[in-house]
Amino acid sequence: MKIERLHFFNFWIVIVFMYLFIKMEDILGISVVGSITQLSLLYIIYGLGIMFTIVYGKHVVSLFLFLNILFVGFGIISTFQFGISSSSIIHDIVYMSFWLLVLFICYSCSDIITQSRFVVNLMVAFDLLMILSFYIWFLNGGRSSIAAVNAVYFTTCLFPIVFLDIKRFMKIIILVSSTACALLSGKRTALIVLVIAFALPYLCKLLMSDGKNKLKNIFSLVALSVLIVLLYDYLLDKFNITIFERFQNIAVDGGSGRFDIYHAVIEAFNNSGIINKVLGHGYNGVFNYGVTFTSAHNDFLEVLYDNGLIGLTLYLCFIGGVISTAIKLLKNRMETSFAVLSALMVFICMSITSHLVIYPTYFIYIVIIIMIGQSELVERNVHEGITY
């Protein structure tokens, strides 16, 4: 491993995390970095990423990578052909392909990721930093801002790192702190995602463990459950949180208006011409074409409207590739298997109820965690001489 390649990759991934932290601060309304500077930073990251790929990248080819390139590439073609941009086509292309650039670089640096703990330690450090920022914002009266609470999804998407190889006490801190953020935010989606992203991988871990470890894991689960209950009681008494009352009102508020948004997007798609049904309307088409005042709040509907039936098929292939990665990792009982399974749960749950792929923000965390697992598979296959 060339030392220059290692340092360049570490430097680049640090800048990526800094950009994501700035975006979170911006959503919270406390960022000191202006939008033009943020965009410039994104362009710098993009340029450095392309430079790194050309100079140092291992130009590997796999079906997983190929399908992702097809998905984003088709989205770019659809945007050029039918897109209505609120800024510029170039901006849209950078936004829609940024996660692919991160995925590609992580894929070409699988040896660095598996041999160095830098990326994992960096995720832990930034997760704690973002959790702290969220608490400070909340305690300073930010709770009243409806839009700003969406910053909780930055910590939600990093939650799967609790299943990576980090210190036990750090896992507990992240798990409890992330749960507290979800409860304080009042975001039902965040809490549901955390529960599923923890429960399913932990259940698999219980089923795959032997007798002694199984008892140990059961005891840990009981102790953690008690801790979460005590945390909820404390937060309820201290801050009068209302998240469970909001669960009871889903039928009344229509999932914060999501049901109306879904209906509007489906109706707009049905009223589209045959060409647009097949090829889409371009990046962020739901918003740009005035279907709703925001995104579709469902990635499947968003991709269907933006990229058409072809784009949706490619997107489903992407998800299928992630599922395949998780299965291979679990089947071979590899170290990153539960983290990737947890990231997959976050991916699917948030894709159903929110938006991920159209914004270059917290989706990047899911991509990196998935690529940590993918890197482990790639390096194993390289060592065993398997074509992958």
Side-chain angles (χ1 to χ4, degrees):
M1 184 193 304
K2 290 184 178 180
I3 196 69
E4 297 90 353
R5 180 167 170 262
L6 172 65
H7 288 163
F8 199 126
F9 173 77
N10 288 345
F11 172 73
W12 185 80
I13 205 73
V14 166
I15 299 178
V16 169
F17 274 75
M18 287 175 59
Y19 169 76
L20 296 176
F21 178 70
I22 290 171
K23 293 300 292 184
M24 178 187 177
E25 297 280 284
D26 188 45
I27 292 174
L28 290 175
I30 57 177
S31 176
V32 296
V33 180
S35 58
I36 296 178
T37 305
Q38 291 178 31
L39 185 60
S40 300
L41 180 58
L42 179 59
Y43 283 174
I44 290 171
I45 293 171
Y46 210 94
L48 288 174
I50 293 174
M51 183 190 304
F52 177 87
T53 302
I54 295 172
V55 177
Y56 295 114
K58 293 195 307 181
H59 303 289
V60 293
V61 178
S62 74
L63 181 60
F64 179 75
L65 193 58
F66 178 69
L67 288 173
N68 284 303
I69 293 173
L70 271 184
F71 171 55
V72 174
F74 183 80
I76 291 173
I77 294 172
S78 178
T79 300
F80 267 116
Q81 190 68 33
F82 306 106
I84 300 175
S85 178
S86 56
S87 51
S88 77
I89 295 294
I90 299 300
H91 292 175
D92 289 348
I93 291 173
V94 170
Y95 279 130
M96 70 190 299
S97 62
F98 182 53
W99 67 266
L100 177 65
L101 178 67
V102 174
L103 183 148
F104 185 84
I105 290 179
C106 288
Y107 205 109
S108 66
C109 295
S110 57
D111 56 331
I112 294 178
I113 292 174
T114 53
Q115 295 173 28
S116 171
R117 290 191 50 82
F118 183 80
V119 175
V120 174
N121 292 337
L122 190 67
M123 286 195 292
V124 171
F126 269 87
D127 193 21
L128 294 175
L129 182 61
M130 288 187 293
I131 288 171
L132 180 61
S133 292
F134 188 86
Y135 286 155
I136 292 173
W137 165 82
F138 182 88
L139 294 174
N140 286 332
R143 185 179 185 180
S144 58
S145 175
I146 297 175
V149 293
N150 288 316
V152 73
Y153 293 122
F154 282 82
T155 62
T156 302
C157 289
L158 264 177
F159 177 78
I161 65 176
V162 299
F163 289 104
L164 290 174
D165 183 24
I166 60 178
K167 298 292 185 182
R168 181 180 291 270
F169 78 91
M170 194 60 68
K171 292 184 179 185
I172 295 173
I173 290 174
I174 292 174
L175 201 153
V176 173
S177 300
S178 298
T179 304
C181 284
L183 291 171
L184 291 172
S185 72
K187 302 298 288 187
R188 294 168 295 197
T189 297
L191 187 60
I192 291 172
V193 168
L194 288 184
V195 170
I196 296 176
F198 177 77
L200 185 59
Y202 203 87
L203 177 61
C204 290
K205 189 175 182 180
L206 278 176
L207 294 174
M208 294 172 64
S209 58
D210 55 29
K212 183 178 179 181
N213 287 326
K214 186 170 292 188
L215 287 174
K216 182 180 177 182
N217 289 330
I218 291 174
F219 175 78
S220 298
L221 180 61
V222 171
L224 189 61
S225 300
V226 172
L227 184 60
I228 295 297
V229 170
L230 293 175
L231 173 68
Y232 172 71
D233 286 340
Y234 170 78
L235 294 177
L236 180 64
D237 179 63
K238 187 78 173 177
F239 300 107
N240 190 31
I241 56 177
T242 59
I243 189 168
F244 290 104
E245 285 80 356
R246 294 193 69 228
F247 275 109
Q248 296 173 359
N249 293 330
I250 286 181
V252 177
D253 65 17
S256 298
R258 280 175 172 80
F259 300 157
D260 293 333
I261 293 173
Y262 298 162
H263 176 75
V265 175
I266 293 171
E267 185 176 15
F269 176 79
N270 290 334
N271 292 333
S272 300
I274 186 64
I275 293 178
N276 291 115
K277 285 181 178 178
V278 175
L279 302 180
H281 297 79
Y283 173 76
N284 205 15
V286 171
F287 175 79
N288 289 335
Y289 274 83
V291 177
T292 71
F293 62 92
T294 180
S295 74
H297 271 72
N298 179 297
D299 274 349
F300 300 97
L301 290 177
E302 184 75 45
V303 171
L304 177 64
Y305 190 84
D306 291 0
N307 300 334
L309 291 169
I310 294 178
L312 179 62
T313 301
L314 293 171
Y315 178 63
L316 293 174
C317 289
F318 169 35
I319 295 177
V322 178
I323 293 173
S324 176
T325 297
I327 292 173
K328 289 176 182 176
L329 289 167
L330 287 167
K331 189 176 180 180
N332 291 281
R333 296 175 177 266
M334 301 183 79
E335 186 178 302
T336 58
S337 57
F338 301 117
V340 172
L341 179 59
S342 180
L344 175 61
M345 293 301 100
V346 176
F347 186 6
I348 293 176
C349 291
M350 287 197 61
S351 290
I352 292 172
T353 60
S354 189
H355 38 231
L356 285 174
V357 295
I358 65 170
Y359 298 127
T361 51
Y362 37 77
F363 182 48
I364 301 298
Y365 294 133
I366 298 176
V367 169
I368 292 174
I369 294 169
I370 290 171
M371 291 315 299
I372 289 175
Q374 189 79 6
S375 297
E376 190 178 12
L377 275 178
V378 170
E379 289 305 298
R380 186 206 65 163
N381 293 336
V382 168
H383 293 150
E384 295 181 4
I386 302 173
T387 302
Y388 183 68

